[in-house]
Amino acid sequence: MNFVVSSSSLLKHLQTISGVLTTNNTLPILDNFLFEINDKTMRVSASDIETTMKTTFEVDSNESGKICIPAKLLLDVLKNLPDQPLTFTIDPDGYGIEISYTNGKSKMVGYNGDDFPKVKEIENTENTVISGEVLADAINKTIFATGIDDLRPVMSGVFCQFTPEDMTFVATDAHKLVRYRRTDSKASGNSSFILPKKALNMLKNNLSSADEMEVKIEYNDSNAVFTFKDIELTCRLIDGKYPNYEAVIPQENPNVLTVDREAFLRSIKRVSIFANKTTHQVQLKISGSELAISAEDIDFSNEAKERLTCSYDGADMEIGFNSRFIIEMLGNISSEEIKLMMSQPNRAGLIVPATQENEDEDILMLVMPVMVNS
């Protein structure tokens, strides 16, 4: 089994799927890439059992076969080679691998490709097609709100709801929540599932908001497959019932603050430097057209205060939030101005764009308050 391939092309394809690899695999074979060649088509797979990613590209060969090649060793070799053709010569009996390049060669030992776990074909699937740009936006605007609590695994992923009217993506960790909805993306029927964070990160790294490609999604009760460009990603879905997120979104929010997003974000970043390092609390005091932002760390006698002009409709209010949550949320909204809608200092606040730049997009962010220091 021999083939010739460009070193830079091979490195690019391997780096695309290498994020699936982990350092604590229970199966040693998963420390390898699976190379499968059929005539001139090469397919390389990486897996951790839960998530499998494959990439396909052309090579110069007229043979067929498969072999597992140590992933870290191969990546280290390729990263230190200039762009040039590489000749792989593989001994099918002893799984010896020789890589020849312009001024030398290297040897390593691989493993039987048949030992690599096979990805089962998922059955009884539904499928839909979504724009790569929409999917990238949905992931970028929700993944930061996912939880990390092992006792509540359903909250560690993004909940996807597909209907004939729209697609909704939701993430929450019980302290913050993001609901991102697109009316320009639809499915043929009603379905819902929870995507794990690792698969979302792999998609995020390989999709961009500028991508005009289409992503085909096939899914059933336990697995999902994403196919785009020369990549196929298969992941096991998170099993469990997602919380009723609509029930926690307050409907009555008479106090509405409208403020410049960038100015608000920069002010929060500066003031939060002086916040308590445990609570990260910043206080908002809103009165008329003035917004006062403050933070203090009593243990170290640190404090900071800033004032911004704003538009406010409601009763004077003082409310506290975790600055990290507010910074994350403001960083994932693109409108010039935002609205912070509140009811009481001990009730959740809602952050939404003051004007939706895209009429097909609807984004809502919820953040729980923290007790204001007396």
Coordinates of all heavy atoms in Angstrom, one line a residue, residues 132-162:
G132 N -24.3 26.8 6.2 CA -23.1 26.8 7.1 C -23.0 28.1 7.9 O -22.6 28.1 9.1
E133 N -23.4 29.2 7.3 CA -23.3 30.5 8.0 C -24.3 30.5 9.2 O -23.9 31.0 10.3 CB -23.7 31.6 7.0 CG -23.7 33.0 7.6 CD -24.2 34.1 6.7 OE1 -24.4 33.8 5.5 OE2 -24.3 35.2 7.1
V134 N -25.5 30.0 8.9 CA -26.5 30.0 10.0 C -26.1 29.1 11.1 O -26.2 29.4 12.3 CB -27.9 29.6 9.4 CG1 -28.9 29.3 10.6 CG2 -28.4 30.6 8.5
L135 N -25.6 27.9 10.8 CA -25.1 27.0 11.8 C -24.0 27.5 12.6 O -23.9 27.4 13.9 CB -24.8 25.6 11.2 CG -24.4 24.5 12.2 CD1 -25.5 24.2 13.1 CD2 -24.0 23.2 11.4
A136 N -23.0 28.2 11.9 CA -21.9 28.8 12.6 C -22.4 29.9 13.6 O -21.9 29.9 14.7 CB -20.9 29.3 11.6
D137 N -23.3 30.7 13.1 CA -23.8 31.8 14.0 C -24.5 31.2 15.2 O -24.4 31.7 16.3 CB -24.8 32.7 13.2 CG -24.1 33.7 12.3 OD1 -22.9 33.9 12.5 OD2 -24.7 34.2 11.4
A138 N -25.3 30.1 15.0 CA -26.1 29.5 16.1 C -25.2 29.0 17.1 O -25.4 29.1 18.3 CB -27.0 28.4 15.5
I139 N -24.1 28.3 16.7 CA -23.1 27.7 17.7 C -22.4 28.8 18.4 O -22.3 28.8 19.6 CB -22.1 26.8 16.9 CG1 -22.9 25.6 16.4 CG2 -21.0 26.3 17.9 CD1 -22.0 24.7 15.5
N140 N -21.9 29.8 17.7 CA -21.1 30.9 18.3 C -21.9 31.7 19.3 O -21.4 32.1 20.3 CB -20.6 31.9 17.2 CG -19.5 31.3 16.4 OD1 -18.6 30.5 16.9 ND2 -19.4 31.6 15.1
K141 N -23.2 31.8 19.1 CA -24.0 32.7 19.9 C -24.7 31.9 21.1 O -25.3 32.5 21.9 CB -25.1 33.4 19.1 CG -24.6 34.5 18.2 CD -25.7 35.2 17.5 CE -25.3 36.5 16.9 NZ -24.3 36.4 15.8
T142 N -24.5 30.6 21.2 CA -25.1 29.8 22.2 C -24.0 29.0 23.1 O -24.3 28.8 24.3 CB -26.1 28.8 21.7 OG1 -25.5 28.0 20.7 CG2 -27.3 29.5 21.1
I143 N -23.0 28.5 22.5 CA -22.1 27.6 23.1 C -21.5 28.1 24.4 O -21.3 27.4 25.4 CB -21.0 27.1 22.2 CG1 -20.3 25.8 22.7 CG2 -20.0 28.2 21.9 CD1 -19.4 25.1 21.8
F144 N -21.3 29.4 24.5 CA -20.7 30.0 25.7 C -21.6 29.9 26.9 O -21.2 30.0 28.1 CB -20.3 31.5 25.5 CG -21.5 32.4 25.5 CD1 -21.9 33.0 26.6 CD2 -22.1 32.7 24.3 CE1 -23.0 33.9 26.6 CE2 -23.2 33.5 24.2 CZ -23.7 34.1 25.4
A145 N -22.9 29.7 26.7 CA -23.9 29.6 27.8 C -24.1 28.2 28.3 O -24.9 28.0 29.2 CB -25.2 30.2 27.4
T146 N -23.4 27.2 27.7 CA -23.6 25.8 28.1 C -23.0 25.6 29.5 O -22.1 26.3 29.9 CB -23.0 24.8 27.1 OG1 -21.6 25.2 26.9 CG2 -23.7 24.9 25.8
G147 N -23.5 24.6 30.2 CA -23.0 24.3 31.6 C -21.9 23.3 31.6 O -21.5 22.7 30.6
I148 N -21.3 23.2 32.8 CA -20.1 22.2 33.0 C -20.4 21.3 34.1 O -19.5 20.7 34.6 CB -18.8 23.0 33.2 CG1 -18.9 24.0 34.3 CG2 -18.4 23.7 31.9 CD1 -17.6 24.6 34.7
D149 N -21.6 21.2 34.6 CA -22.0 20.4 35.7 C -22.2 19.0 35.3 O -23.1 18.7 34.5 CB -23.3 21.0 36.4 CG -23.6 20.3 37.7 OD1 -22.9 19.2 38.0 OD2 -24.5 20.7 38.4
D150 N -21.4 18.1 35.8 CA -21.5 16.7 35.4 C -22.8 16.0 35.9 O -23.2 15.0 35.4 CB -20.3 15.9 35.9 CG -19.0 16.2 35.2 OD1 -19.1 16.7 34.1 OD2 -17.9 16.0 35.8
L151 N -23.4 16.6 36.9 CA -24.6 16.1 37.5 C -25.8 16.4 36.6 O -26.9 15.8 36.8 CB -24.8 16.6 38.9 CG -23.7 16.2 39.9 CD1 -24.0 16.8 41.3 CD2 -23.6 14.6 40.0
R152 N -25.6 17.4 35.7 CA -26.7 17.8 34.8 C -26.2 17.8 33.4 O -26.0 18.9 32.8 CB -27.3 19.2 35.2 CG -28.0 19.2 36.5 CD -28.6 20.5 36.9 NE -27.6 21.5 37.2 CZ -28.0 22.7 37.6 NH1 -29.2 23.1 37.7 NH2 -27.0 23.6 38.0
P153 N -25.9 16.6 32.9 CA -25.3 16.5 31.5 C -26.1 17.2 30.4 O -25.6 17.6 29.4 CB -25.1 15.0 31.3 CG -26.1 14.4 32.2 CD -26.2 15.3 33.4
V154 N -27.5 17.2 30.5 CA -28.3 17.7 29.5 C -28.0 19.2 29.3 O -28.2 19.8 28.2 CB -29.8 17.5 29.7 CG1 -30.2 16.1 29.7 CG2 -30.3 18.2 31.0
M155 N -27.5 19.9 30.3 CA -27.2 21.3 30.2 C -25.8 21.6 29.7 O -25.4 22.8 29.6 CB -27.5 22.0 31.6 CG -29.0 21.9 32.0 SD -29.3 22.4 33.7 CE -29.1 24.2 33.5
S156 N -25.1 20.5 29.4 CA -23.7 20.7 28.9 C -23.7 20.8 27.4 O -22.6 21.0 26.8 CB -22.8 19.6 29.4 OG -23.2 18.4 28.8
G157 N -24.8 20.7 26.8 CA -24.9 20.8 25.3 C -25.9 21.9 24.9 O -26.4 22.6 25.7
V158 N -26.1 22.0 23.6 CA -27.0 22.9 23.0 C -28.3 22.2 22.5 O -28.2 21.2 21.8 CB -26.4 23.7 21.8 CG1 -27.4 24.5 21.1 CG2 -25.3 24.6 22.3
F159 N -29.4 22.6 23.0 CA -30.7 22.0 22.7 C -31.2 22.6 21.3 O -31.2 23.8 21.1 CB -31.7 22.4 23.7 CG -33.1 21.8 23.5 CD1 -33.3 20.5 23.4 CD2 -34.2 22.7 23.4 CE1 -34.6 19.9 23.2 CE2 -35.5 22.2 23.2 CZ -35.7 20.8 23.1
C160 N -31.5 21.7 20.4 CA -31.9 22.1 19.0 C -33.3 21.7 18.8 O -33.7 20.5 19.0 CB -31.0 21.4 18.0 SG -29.2 21.7 18.2
Q161 N -34.1 22.6 18.4 CA -35.5 22.4 18.1 C -35.8 22.7 16.6 O -35.6 23.9 16.2 CB -36.4 23.2 19.0 CG -37.0 22.6 20.2 CD -37.9 23.5 21.0 OE1 -37.8 24.7 21.0 NE2 -39.0 22.9 21.5
F162 N -36.1 21.7 15.8 CA -36.4 22.0 14.4 C -37.9 21.8 14.1 O -38.5 20.8 14.5 CB -35.6 21.0 13.5 CG -34.1 21.1 13.6 CD1 -33.3 20.2 13.0 CD2 -33.5 22.2 14.2 CE1 -31.9 20.3 13.1 CE2 -32.1 22.4 14.3 CZ -31.3 21.4 13.7

